[in-house]
Amino acid sequence: MVVTMLRTCLRTIGGIIRSCCKNRLLDHGPIAGAAERWNQLVDNRLCRGKYTDSSKYKSGKVAGQRHKASNKRTSMQDEEDEESGYGNEASNESNRAQLIDDREYDSVASSAMHVTKRILNAQNVVIIQPYIKWGPRKSVTKPELLLQEAEALVRSLPRWNTALSLKVPVETLEKRQLFGSGKLEELKAVIRAQQEAGAMLSCVFISKGTLTYTQKQTLEQEFRLPVMDRYSVVVQILRLHAVSMEAKLQVALAELPYIWSQVKGQETGSKGPISGRVFLSDSQRQMLQLRERKLRHELAAIRSHRELLRNRRRQKNFPVVAVVGYTNAGKTLLIKALTQEQSLQPRNQLFATLDVTAHAGLLPCKLQVLYMDTVGFMSDIPTGLIECFVATLEDAMLADVIVHVQDMAHEAHAEQRAHVERTLGTLMRSGGDRTLTPDRIINVGNKIDLVPDPKAILAEDTSVDNGDTRLHLISSQTLHGVHELLLEVERRVLRVTGRQRLTMRVPMGGPELAWLYKNAAVTETAADPANAERLLVNVVISEGTLQQFRHLFIGSRKT
């Protein structure tokens, strides 16, 4: 009796310690382990005579029962930890949060990229859009449209204003100071005039993918203002729009190649002192290298988790439809129109969506599908920036059907379409999992309500006679053409996934009908005119599910 009471008291102490750990009142690492060892010590010391000795003479029956009970407690604890997110997952989240909130790294990133986590003051930006006048490297997109996109990038940042925007012709984008001497002096005079007129200019945004270290430092010396390129401006947008931990990790990894390129350019660049250099101590270099390894490790874990989710979807036989397109083409609004999910709140911003999100919807045949919203594409962005989102884009590359949304109200929609197709093709080839075949892609022309003459677009579409590649014109805002698009999605999904429409005769009130409702898409039921005890059931069913049905209910008989 005394031993039992003492053991109960001591185990209660261990339970209190463990409870405090779970409620985060104590550090869960070493103390929780000590609590567990305390309980084991109590069992070993006070219960040795009761269990160990008797197990010798009873073939270990009691010991086996105790071991089984211990395993049961451990199993229940594991399930409880898994459901509450306690344990390793909580520790991982804490490590990831510390990885994102690193002051030493933030100072290095701010010096190299001029980016910040919080925009505290209004920023007045001078936008300069360089463009090649002639030659093979001339852009197919008009300079005016390139400048409009640069202005849209600035508008995507809160409290950022465009003080002045200019498009400047250049012979090449590789010059040390980017612009010719005369044009550079002209730009300096324009900026100086703005400042003398009272404009508080914050920085100069050169709308070029990536400036070399030498170009950036030379222009900062000439303009006497911080200089940003498209890479650093996009990273600033991504930083502000990243909500989930996965998105934050991807953005953090996307910053590192740029910082290393600036450091490398500094080492191989011009000699002599230049203000604004990114000086890195040995400890800072080690910090960057360690940070990159940790980020890749965390993203690899997230990638494995996504693979697990995809396997679960495959086990449940859910068809997946990925919605891709140029940034701000209306992907989220289209998914809202297809699924009628009112909780979706599309935003008229560039890179508004950074996380892949799944949204369930029903096709006209009552088949449930998952629509995957993806991060948008943009031209003149280094491939390394996109590659950091490969874990996210894998959901698009491995989808059964891909809906490519295009903004038909944009003057450069043809160039945007070509850019998305090239980028998707590159990612598919590097992934090696699936090929980008025409039967998997549905081309959708969105925002048709903003186009003055939609018939002119159809006249220009050379693929109008091809059922697979033709352009489907819709408006996600007014829902014009959305039902026809749903029918096309249904046709492609059934074909790609090998599903078929069948009419099956099943017993009235039998288990067959319930099984079909659970494992297939039942579109219609009706009484069998030839047999009152039977039902005629119209279903959409895959070959594998059909074989399961035959095995369970028909056996060797033919349907």
Side-chain angles (χ1 to χ4, degrees):
M1 176 69 72
V2 175
V3 172
T4 302
M5 292 177 63
L6 182 58
R7 186 180 70 251
T8 302
C9 292
L10 293 175
R11 287 189 62 82
T12 300
I13 295 173
I16 293 171
I17 297 174
R18 189 179 185 87
S19 177
C20 290
C21 293
K22 179 168 287 191
N23 292 316
R24 309 299 171 87
L25 300 177
L26 294 174
D27 179 23
H28 67 274
I31 299 180
E36 189 64 33
R37 290 192 296 273
W38 175 276
N39 289 335
Q40 292 174 359
L41 181 62
V42 171
D43 288 339
N44 292 337
R45 293 292 184 187
L46 297 180
C47 308
R48 181 177 297 165
K50 184 174 180 180
Y51 291 100
T52 308
D53 293 341
S54 63
S55 64
K56 291 181 186 178
Y57 304 104
K58 296 183 180 180
S59 302
K61 181 178 179 181
V62 178
Q65 291 175 348
R66 180 168 175 263
H67 179 69
K68 184 177 180 180
S70 175
N71 286 344
K72 185 176 181 181
R73 287 198 306 270
T74 304
S75 176
M76 292 175 64
Q77 184 64 46
D78 289 343
E79 291 176 5
E80 187 178 332
D81 287 348
E82 183 178 353
E83 290 176 0
S84 64
Y86 174 75
N88 290 336
E89 188 61 31
S91 177
N92 289 340
E93 286 299 317
S94 176
N95 292 337
R96 290 167 182 171
Q98 292 176 6
L99 195 56
I100 297 300
D101 297 323
D102 187 335
R103 292 186 179 181
E104 183 182 6
Y105 169 77
D106 287 341
S107 65
V108 174
S110 177
S111 175
M113 306 181 71
H114 303 305
V115 295
T116 180
K117 287 189 175 180
R118 298 177 183 85
I119 299 177
L120 301 177
N121 302 313
Q123 306 290 313
N124 297 311
V125 184
V126 176
I127 302 175
I128 300 177
Q129 176 63 62
Y131 66 94
I132 297 177
K133 294 181 288 185
W134 55 72
R137 303 193 64 180
K138 178 183 177 181
S139 174
V140 295
T141 306
K142 296 179 181 178
E144 294 79 10
L145 298 179
L146 294 174
L147 184 59
Q148 288 177 16
E149 190 168 87
E151 292 171 347
L153 284 171
V154 171
R155 286 196 302 271
S156 297
L157 289 164
R159 309 190 72 182
W160 277 45
N161 307 305
T162 302
L164 180 67
S165 58
L166 305 165
K167 55 182 188 296
V168 180
V170 295
E171 295 180 357
T172 176
L173 296 174
E174 311 304 325
K175 280 187 177 180
R176 174 189 176 86
Q177 57 187 23
L178 191 61
F179 308 104
S181 301
K183 183 59 68 176
L184 186 60
E185 290 299 322
E186 183 181 328
L187 291 172
K188 288 167 60 178
V190 171
I191 292 174
R192 195 180 308 114
Q194 288 281 322
Q195 292 172 322
E196 291 173 355
M200 301 295 292
L201 302 181
S202 306
C203 69
V204 177
F205 170 29
I206 307 293
S207 184
K208 175 181 180 288
T210 305
L211 293 170
T212 66
Y213 169 80
T214 304
Q215 287 175 333
K216 187 176 179 181
Q217 294 301 319
T218 302
L219 292 174
E220 286 185 349
Q221 278 189 315
E222 295 290 344
F223 295 143
R224 299 183 181 277
L225 286 170
V227 172
M228 302 181 72
D229 50 25
R230 282 172 74 95
Y231 197 118
S232 51
V233 169
V234 168
V235 163
Q236 180 69 82
I237 296 172
L238 298 181
R239 275 190 166 204
L240 295 176
H241 289 180
V243 177
S244 70
M245 183 57 65
E246 178 182 0
K248 291 178 180 179
L249 290 171
Q250 289 171 325
V251 174
L253 183 61
E255 296 171 6
L256 292 177
Y258 187 92
I259 296 175
W260 282 121
S261 70
Q262 295 294 303
V263 173
K264 183 178 179 181
Q266 168 186 307
E267 293 171 346
T268 60
S270 59
K271 298 180 180 180
I274 299 180
S275 60
R277 279 190 170 187
V278 187
F279 287 105
L280 293 182
S281 64
D282 290 340
S283 63
Q284 287 176 322
R285 290 174 182 271
Q286 292 174 1
M287 177 269 294
L288 288 178
Q289 292 167 352
L290 180 60
R291 180 181 178 84
E292 183 170 356
R293 287 197 298 271
K294 287 183 176 180
L295 287 170
R296 292 191 183 279
H297 173 75
E298 295 294 342
L299 287 172
I302 290 174
R303 199 169 181 176
S304 298
H305 180 65
R306 284 196 171 277
E307 178 62 27
L308 179 63
L309 293 178
R310 281 193 294 269
N311 289 335
R312 288 178 179 174
R313 288 197 295 265
R314 280 194 286 266
Q315 290 173 1
K316 294 181 179 180
N317 214 15
F318 280 134
V320 177
V321 179
V323 181
V324 305
Y326 207 79
T327 183
N328 207 31
K331 299 181 290 297
T332 304
L333 187 58
L334 174 58
I335 292 177
K336 184 175 182 178
L338 293 172
T339 61
Q340 299 181 3
E341 185 178 330
Q342 298 305 315
S343 62
L344 278 173
Q345 297 298 327
R347 292 177 292 169
N348 186 24
Q349 290 180 330
L350 302 183
F351 300 107
T353 300
L354 294 185
D355 296 289
V356 167
T357 52
H359 307 271
L362 282 178
L363 297 178
C365 67
K366 307 294 179 63
L367 178 65
Q368 189 178 49
V369 298
L370 290 178
Y371 293 97
M372 309 297 292
D373 199 0
T374 61
V375 63
F377 297 90
M378 175 174 272
S379 62
D380 201 12
I381 296 295
T383 308
L385 187 56
I386 296 295
E387 286 177 349
C388 294
F389 289 86
V390 164
T392 299
L393 293 170
E394 274 184 342
D395 287 293
M397 295 185 286
L398 299 175
D400 298 300
V401 174
I402 298 175
V403 175
H404 179 186
V405 186
Q406 301 151 49
D407 180 2
M408 304 311 294
H410 198 285
E411 191 175 343
H413 62 81
E415 289 84 356
Q416 291 180 353
R417 171 177 175 171
H419 172 75
V420 172
E421 290 174 346
R422 283 195 305 270
T423 307
L424 270 179
T426 301
L427 292 173
M428 290 284 186
R429 286 191 295 273
S430 61
D433 292 302
R434 301 188 68 172
T435 56
L436 199 64
T437 54
D439 64 321
R440 290 181 56 208
I441 302 175
I442 302 176
N443 288 300
V444 176
N446 194 20
K447 303 186 183 180
I448 202 66
D449 54 310
L450 303 179
V451 177
D453 187 10
K455 293 182 179 179
I457 296 175
L458 289 176
E460 296 173 1
D461 186 14
T462 58
S463 61
V464 68
D465 297 328
N466 190 327
D468 283 346
T469 60
R470 75 181 185 89
L471 188 65
H472 299 266
L473 298 182
I474 68 157
S475 169
S476 301
Q477 190 70 44
T478 66
L479 303 184
H480 171 78
V482 171
H483 180 69
E484 290 76 10
L485 176 60
L486 264 175
L487 293 174
E488 179 63 18
V489 172
E490 176 183 283
R491 185 178 74 86
R492 298 291 188 93
V493 166
L494 296 186
R495 186 173 70 183
V496 171
T497 62
R499 285 174 167 82
Q500 53 186 317
R501 300 173 186 268
L502 292 177
T503 300
M504 306 178 72
R505 183 179 288 107
V506 300
M508 185 85 70
E512 292 87 347
L513 184 60
W515 192 92
L516 288 173
Y517 268 111
K518 182 179 179 180
N519 297 282
V522 177
T523 60
E524 187 180 2
T525 61
D528 186 355
N531 189 341
E533 296 181 354
R534 299 262 175 179
L535 278 177
L536 296 178
V537 183
N538 294 333
V539 297
V540 175
I541 191 168
S542 67
E543 182 62 30
T545 306
L546 180 60
Q547 293 302 326
Q548 290 179 28
F549 180 84
R550 286 174 173 166
H551 175 73
L552 290 172
F553 301 106
I554 301 176
S556 59
R557 292 180 302 165
K558 296 182 178 179
T559 56

